[in-house]
Amino acid sequence: MPKDVNPDDRAVGRRIYAARKRKGMSQDEATRALTLPDGAMSLFERGMRSVPAPILGRIADLFDADLSYLVTGTAGRSEITPTERDLIRRYRKLSPESRIALYRISETMEVRA
């Protein structure tokens, strides 16, 4: 590891890399989605540059990753799984009527469980 790489930045970068790969995005796609300068994602992932907090939050949102995990390597209190996060994202896109219908379905499923 080069002398100028902070081990904490390197660890954050590895977690960002893993989250991006899980999401199935290339560095270029992530860079465009986050409106970052060319090469910024590479610098972050390799730990060559510290990720500013506002950008780290946007990265977590884009990759559906736990912000606490990206920073510390341990899950935050919410411990929402990627699948649960995806369900929430999809739910938020539903019309009010569809949300009510889905709620009723979940009540029925809960009774059966």
Side-chain angles (χ1 to χ4, degrees), residues 25 39 63 82 100:
M25 295 182 81
F63 298 152
I100 291 169

Side-chain angles (χ1 to χ4, degrees), residues 4-30:
D4 57 341
V5 176
N6 178 312
D8 291 334
D9 290 339
R10 178 73 178 123
V12 169
R14 282 193 305 264
R15 290 188 287 273
I16 290 171
Y17 170 83
R20 178 177 60 77
K21 287 296 193 179
R22 272 193 305 274
K23 193 69 173 177
M25 295 182 81
S26 70
Q27 281 186 345
D28 287 341
E29 290 170 326

Side-chain angles (χ1 to χ4, degrees), residues 31-112:
T31 297
R32 283 192 303 276
L34 295 164
T35 61
L36 297 174
D38 289 344
M41 186 60 65
S42 175
L43 292 173
F44 295 152
E45 289 182 0
R46 291 183 294 133
M48 302 297 290
R49 181 168 173 213
S50 295
V51 185
I55 293 174
L56 193 56
R58 290 173 31 214
I59 288 171
D61 288 343
L62 178 63
F63 298 152
D64 294 323
D66 182 79
L67 179 59
S68 179
Y69 174 75
L70 290 179
V71 174
T72 67
T74 57
R77 290 184 180 167
S78 67
E79 297 189 29
I80 294 176
T81 68
T83 301
E84 291 167 331
R85 193 171 285 111
D86 187 49
L87 286 169
I88 291 167
R89 181 185 56 77
R90 291 170 189 250
Y91 173 83
R92 289 178 178 165
K93 291 180 179 181
L94 295 174
S95 68
E97 296 81 17
S98 293
R99 287 181 179 192
I100 291 169
L102 182 61
Y103 181 78
R104 290 181 179 146
I105 291 168
S106 70
E107 284 183 314
T108 304
M109 293 173 73
E110 185 178 30
V111 170
R112 292 181 188 167

